[in-house]
Amino acid sequence: MAPDGATYFRKGFGLKAEVETTLSSDYNGRLVDLLRERDYTLSAGDTTIRLAKEFGFCYGVERAVEYAYQTRHKFPDRRVFLVGEIIHNPHVNARLVQMGIEILHPTEAGFDYSVVRPEDVVILPAFGVTIQDFETLRTIGCVMVDTTCGSVLNVWKRVDVYARDGFTALIHGKYYHEETRATASQVEKHAGGTYLIVRDMAEAERVMAYIEDGGDRDAFLAHFREKASPHFDPDVHLARIGVANQTTMLARESLAIGDRVGVAMERRYGAEHRTEHFRTFDTICSATQDRQDAVNALLLEPLDVMLVIGGYNSSNTISLAALCAERVRTYHVEDAEGIVPETGVIRHRDAVTHDEVESASWLPQAGALRIGLTAGASTPNNKIGEAVARIFRARGIDPATVV
Ligand code: SF4
């Protein structure tokens, strides 16, 4: 319990001024400030770096990280826990650990809260937590600092209404992602509430085929075992569907999946019954949309190579990298250290195997070069600036001379 008796906080502690200096020294970057001042362009010699106009920390991430700093400041003598990662950036999470915040790591069976005592403080991440986790913490009676992003709460409201009205929530997302697990759990507020998660259009097509023509029930259940409510039955729960999405998916694909469900319902039940069987609502957050729009605009320019910076488990970063790879040679690096100027090697995520791989000679040593750059919503500016410095060094340019 906090000194004033409250145990649940979701608007911070009014300590913005107290943590501002630390936050700015932890995450701001000179080269990124310079890029912004110079119309998102830095040139030195025959190397030009173009930064997408929307990139890096989104409003939800900024808020969550700031609340975590405020929490440490507010409770200097308490044990402070964090449920999983605050956001998907290894440096930000490591910095919180350095500040004495202990991360609770999930196991196969979920989070183990047995270490948490009523006098402890627990931070909920920007992705939110499942209903069950929330209830467990409430029962313990610890202080809860909830940093769940408002855009995630909007998705929850949608899913809640679908379940209330007897619609299965079809979620375009990654079933193992914290946000999607929390979103899916919202259906449990209503008896019989049901969810089904699809990763992409190919997986959505399996669902559409079952809606339109039926199919092998057991094979369907085996495929979606981890991606559906335990009581899910395709012969019962595909009759009425409400579509929602994880906030950080590829917007284009989410919209296409929504449209495709509408078509499947019309084919199955007739156009006149469409609204009885189908609802949809685009729940991609505006920050994700803005970053995808900005990178699409950048990709209209002539670029030799594109660099995308962000955690390998960061969904919105993976979406950005997928967009770029359609148009230009693209490397998704987890952080600036993936670029090794001394050897000309880059360590990056392979889009097919999802493993980290090394590529040599990714940048030509000579000749004019235009490099596009963007970063996912959980990448701080100092890491983006560090990547810019390493790109210049890889081209034999001292970043200190870039002014
Ligand atoms: S990516 Fe969107 S939903 Fe996620 S924290 Fe940022 S603003 Fe919120």
Side-chain angles (χ1 to χ4, degrees):
M1 196 180 285
D4 60 0
T7 57
Y8 180 70
F9 300 88
R10 58 162 288 102
K11 294 188 188 306
F13 298 101
L15 298 171
K16 189 180 174 69
E18 283 80 351
V19 299
E20 215 158 44
T21 311
T22 318
L23 272 171
S24 141
S25 85
D26 282 351
Y27 302 121
N28 283 2
R30 175 189 84 88
L31 284 170
V32 173
D33 293 343
L34 206 59
L35 269 157
R36 274 214 184 93
E37 280 165 26
R38 307 269 163 85
D39 196 24
Y40 301 85
T41 309
L42 277 185
S43 291
D46 52 9
T47 302
T48 299
I49 296 181
R50 291 276 294 133
L51 179 64
K53 289 193 172 155
E54 297 287 342
F55 62 92
F57 271 16
C58 58
Y59 49 84
V61 161
E62 262 180 14
R63 177 176 166 278
V65 175
E66 187 197 311
Y67 284 5
Y69 276 56
Q70 285 195 25
T71 304
R72 182 71 282 177
H73 196 87
K74 172 85 177 172
F75 301 103
D77 305 322
R78 300 275 193 102
R79 294 200 307 167
V80 179
F81 293 98
L82 171 63
V83 183
E85 300 184 345
I86 187 99
I87 57 167
H88 285 153
N89 182 276
H91 297 282
V92 177
N93 289 305
R95 178 71 183 106
L96 295 182
V97 170
Q98 210 181 46
M99 290 162 66
I101 295 175
E102 193 176 322
I103 296 183
L104 296 169
H105 295 283
T107 65
E108 287 273 298
F111 287 101
D112 175 8
Y113 295 109
S114 58
V115 290
V116 180
R117 296 192 295 255
E119 59 273 25
D120 294 333
V121 179
V122 177
I123 301 170
L124 314 188
F127 323 107
V129 298
T130 63
I131 287 187
Q132 300 89 325
D133 285 350
F134 192 90
E135 284 309 320
T136 304
L137 290 166
R138 206 154 62 172
T139 305
I140 292 170
C142 56
V143 170
M144 289 160 75
V145 181
D146 189 349
T147 77
T148 308
C149 179
S151 294
V152 174
L153 294 176
N154 280 339
V155 189
W156 291 3
K157 276 187 211 144
R158 263 316 126 182
V159 167
D160 183 349
V161 172
Y162 290 156
R164 184 199 67 193
D165 295 348
F167 281 65
T168 292
L170 182 84
I171 303 165
H172 175 215
K174 295 165 185 151
Y175 73 93
Y176 49 82
H177 191 284
E178 298 95 315
E179 180 193 314
T180 295
R181 289 210 317 269
T183 295
S185 78
Q186 301 305 310
V187 302
E188 288 155 26
K189 284 184 186 158
H190 302 277
T194 309
Y195 69 84
L196 178 66
I197 300 166
V198 292
R199 168 72 181 82
D200 51 25
M201 184 54 102
E203 202 158 48
E205 285 295 352
R206 290 181 85 113
V207 180
M208 300 317 125
Y210 204 98
I211 292 172
E212 291 175 14
D213 306 313
D216 182 336
R217 180 176 176 276
D218 291 342
F220 190 95
L221 284 173
H223 179 85
F224 285 102
R225 185 171 297 121
E226 292 181 292
K227 305 172 181 177
S229 298
H231 62 274
F232 178 82
D233 181 344
D235 292 335
V236 176
H237 296 114
L238 293 179
R240 294 203 289 175
I241 286 184
V243 182
N245 43 259
Q246 189 180 317
T247 55
T248 48
M249 302 303 277
L250 210 49
R252 191 182 61 197
E253 191 170 42
S254 278
L255 290 175
I257 289 173
D259 290 346
R260 183 67 187 87
V261 178
V263 169
M265 289 306 191
E266 285 191 10
R267 284 184 187 156
R268 176 80 165 81
Y269 299 103
E272 68 278 23
H273 296 294
R274 178 182 161 106
T275 52
E276 294 157 39
H277 296 276
F278 167 62
R279 291 182 187 173
T280 190
F281 197 87
D282 175 13
T283 54
I284 294 287
C285 78
S286 59
T288 295
Q289 187 71 61
D290 290 348
R291 277 152 190 70
Q292 291 179 12
D293 290 348
V295 92
N296 276 327
L298 182 60
L299 288 165
L300 294 176
E301 299 179 12
L303 296 171
D304 297 295
V305 60
M306 188 78 206
L307 190 74
V308 182
I309 313 166
Y312 288 155
N313 55 351
S314 160
S315 172
N316 76 91
T317 308
I318 291 168
S319 297
L320 289 172
L323 278 178
C324 297
E326 288 174 2
R327 309 279 280 274
V328 66
R329 185 160 54 93
T330 298
Y331 298 92
H332 170 183
V333 294
E334 183 163 48
D335 53 33
E337 286 91 62
I339 303 165
V340 190
E342 296 74 21
T343 58
V345 159
I346 189 166
R347 286 194 300 274
H348 59 102
R349 178 182 184 273
D350 185 291
V352 177
T353 64
H354 304 172
D355 292 330
E356 184 172 77
V357 292
E358 283 193 357
S359 296
S361 315
W362 71 289
L363 285 184
Q365 286 300 297
L369 198 71
R370 283 175 67 86
I371 303 156
L373 182 64
T374 191
S378 41
T379 308
N381 281 358
N382 58 342
K383 288 291 151 193
I384 303 169
E386 230 176 283
V388 172
R390 282 172 179 252
I391 292 169
F392 279 125
R393 290 215 330 264
R395 292 277 290 171
I397 297 159
D398 179 358
T401 63
V402 181
V403 290

